[in-house]
Amino acid sequence: MAAAAGDDPDVLRLENLDTDIAPPEVAVQATAQALMERQGNSWLPLTGLPVLREAVAAELLTRTGLGYDPDRQIVITSGGTSAVMPVLLSVTEPEDPVFLTDPTYAGLLQRVRLAGAHPSLVPLRVERGYWRLDREELVEVDRAAALLLMSPSMPSGMVFDQDDWETIAEVCARTGAYLIYDAAMERIVFDGHPRINPCRVDGLAERTIVIGSMSKEYRMIGWRIGWIAGPADIMERIRLATIYNTTVASGFAQLGAAAALRDPSGAGVREAVAEYQARHDVVIEQLAGLPVVPAAGGWSCLLDAEALSLTAQELSDRLLARGRVAATPMTAWGGAVATRHVRLVFSNEPIARLSSLRARVEAALG
């Protein structure tokens, strides 16, 4: 898809999970200073620089209410996605079931398989115009090593509410499963929707392993900085698995990440979220009357190809060939729910260009 779209300025790039919103200037300056002063050019410490682990602990205290020990309960990783493998290797055995939503981010789904575990899917359903977790199906789970979940979730933009998290807590308690919570987009939530950290839900704090990242909220994709935080006992295993998985994240980038996390002005997160919501709203307005499901947060929303009497691949092909819109079919992003949809990413296109979406889609369907 990206190769087909190339650098053609006429193509609306809705397949792209990058963002054109600038990273925090404080992060840019701190990273440049580290390079100029030759700070951070080391393999050590293998679990991340103390200044960054302390900054992550302070951020997590605000989000979760928990006082994580920076030395024993936090490890820095080379991006959020690379944190998933050492966690899975630490909490699963071969063929153990790991539950994800349908649809889910393909990078999570495939890492479950790479770890030797077995991905099992709980569908999302559209209720009252938004994606909701099928809790009735989730409560039927009787064996699980882990639940691997995002909120907001990629690619749907679904946000878990209090009832969802309480159901997840019940499943974790009954099965002994860990909740592996991908919090990469936790603060990219749109007005009127809840933002609940699962560690604040009764029974989940002691079972939750948090994976965080600088890529989405802080727009620091190229820095490749993430982290894992969790209960001290399981973190002993995760630290070892992380060290031997990717050795260490960039020291220069870690210093930039620490500066962003400690920025008293908020590193532009609130302003970026407002811009993403404005872009999302334009996409939904442009597609009024078509089978698009609004997102409650995140960077993307889904258009139902089957409701248009097309497969997702056919719709994706038509959008590019006739409408000059690059959009990804969700054929590898889950099961029956995912495969009927095309993803529309609005993080890398300004409102002025998104305002042409209706005419482009009509040309594709024409």
Side-chain angles (χ1 to χ4, degrees):
M1 177 63 67
D7 296 320
D8 187 340
D10 185 49
V11 174
L12 196 60
R13 299 296 298 271
L14 302 188
E15 94 293 354
N16 196 335
L17 269 179
D18 286 339
T19 182
D20 61 340
I21 300 178
E25 184 60 30
V26 65
V28 175
Q29 293 175 358
T31 304
Q33 182 178 350
L35 286 164
M36 293 296 294
E37 297 179 0
R38 301 181 183 179
Q39 299 177 25
N41 188 25
S42 172
W43 299 107
L44 303 173
L46 295 174
T47 55
L49 294 173
V51 65
L52 180 54
R53 284 186 276 115
E54 291 164 5
V56 170
E59 176 67 20
L60 288 173
L61 179 62
T62 300
R63 297 194 189 202
T64 69
L66 302 177
Y68 290 94
D69 183 333
D71 295 324
R72 297 176 62 238
Q73 292 181 271
I74 294 173
V75 61
I76 304 304
T77 62
S78 298
T81 306
S82 71
V84 177
M85 277 297 291
V87 173
L88 287 168
L89 291 171
S90 299
V91 303
T92 67
E93 297 293 339
E95 298 304 315
D96 273 353
V98 173
F99 283 83
L100 310 97
T101 59
D102 176 16
T104 195
Y105 168 44
L108 300 182
L109 185 66
Q110 302 301 349
R111 279 169 176 79
V112 173
R113 295 189 173 109
L114 285 170
H118 177 72
S120 299
L121 300 175
V122 176
L124 303 182
R125 307 293 189 200
V126 179
E127 297 178 6
R128 297 184 296 278
Y130 287 94
W131 291 107
R132 298 289 346 133
L133 179 67
D134 190 334
R135 293 196 296 268
E136 292 184 0
E137 187 155 333
L138 181 61
V139 297
E140 296 298 320
V141 171
D142 59 5
R143 178 173 173 261
L147 281 65
L148 176 50
L149 304 172
M150 285 186 77
S151 182
S153 180
M154 292 198 319
S156 65
M158 179 265 188
V159 171
F160 291 91
D161 64 18
Q162 184 72 24
D163 290 339
D164 294 329
W165 287 125
E166 289 177 358
T167 302
I168 291 163
E170 186 276 326
V171 172
C172 288
R174 177 163 45 79
T175 63
Y178 281 97
L179 168 62
I180 306 172
Y181 171 51
D182 186 337
M185 292 188 168
E186 184 176 69
R187 286 191 288 173
I188 308 177
V189 174
F190 304 151
D191 289 345
H193 297 278
R195 181 162 68 85
I196 302 168
N197 186 287
C199 291
R200 294 185 178 272
V201 176
D202 289 347
L204 275 181
E206 60 270 26
R207 303 299 303 172
T208 298
I209 300 165
V210 179
I211 294 174
S213 170
M214 301 301 296
S215 295
K216 304 298 193 305
E217 296 178 358
Y218 291 90
R219 298 92 57 212
M220 294 171 61
I221 299 171
W223 274 253
R224 307 313 305 135
I225 296 295
W227 58 83
I228 309 167
D233 54 352
I234 193 62
M235 286 304 298
E236 291 183 14
R237 300 176 65 180
I238 291 172
R239 283 202 308 274
L240 285 174
T242 303
I243 288 169
Y244 291 108
N245 184 41
T246 54
T247 307
V248 68
S250 159
F252 310 118
Q254 288 187 59
L255 292 168
L261 287 168
R262 291 181 163 180
D263 182 8
S265 68
V269 173
R270 181 178 300 177
E271 294 81 1
V273 172
E275 176 63 19
Y276 294 141
Q277 178 166 356
R279 295 179 182 190
H280 164 268
D281 292 349
V282 169
V283 170
I284 299 304
E285 290 167 4
Q286 287 285 305
L287 300 182
L290 294 172
V292 63
V293 183
W299 278 9
S300 62
C301 57
L302 297 178
L303 180 63
D304 189 339
E306 287 193 13
L308 296 169
S309 300
L310 297 167
T311 68
Q313 186 63 60
E314 287 170 341
L315 178 57
S316 176
D317 291 343
R318 285 194 185 193
L319 284 169
L320 185 58
R322 302 181 185 181
R324 311 296 288 153
V325 176
T328 307
M330 297 287 91
T331 49
W333 291 58
V337 180
T339 55
R340 63 183 291 153
H341 288 91
V342 167
R343 184 189 66 187
L344 305 175
V345 180
F346 43 81
S347 59
N348 205 32
E349 289 283 10
I351 286 174
R353 280 172 55 83
L354 290 171
S355 298
S356 68
L357 182 58
R358 182 75 187 199
R360 292 170 181 265
V361 172
E362 287 179 349
L365 297 176

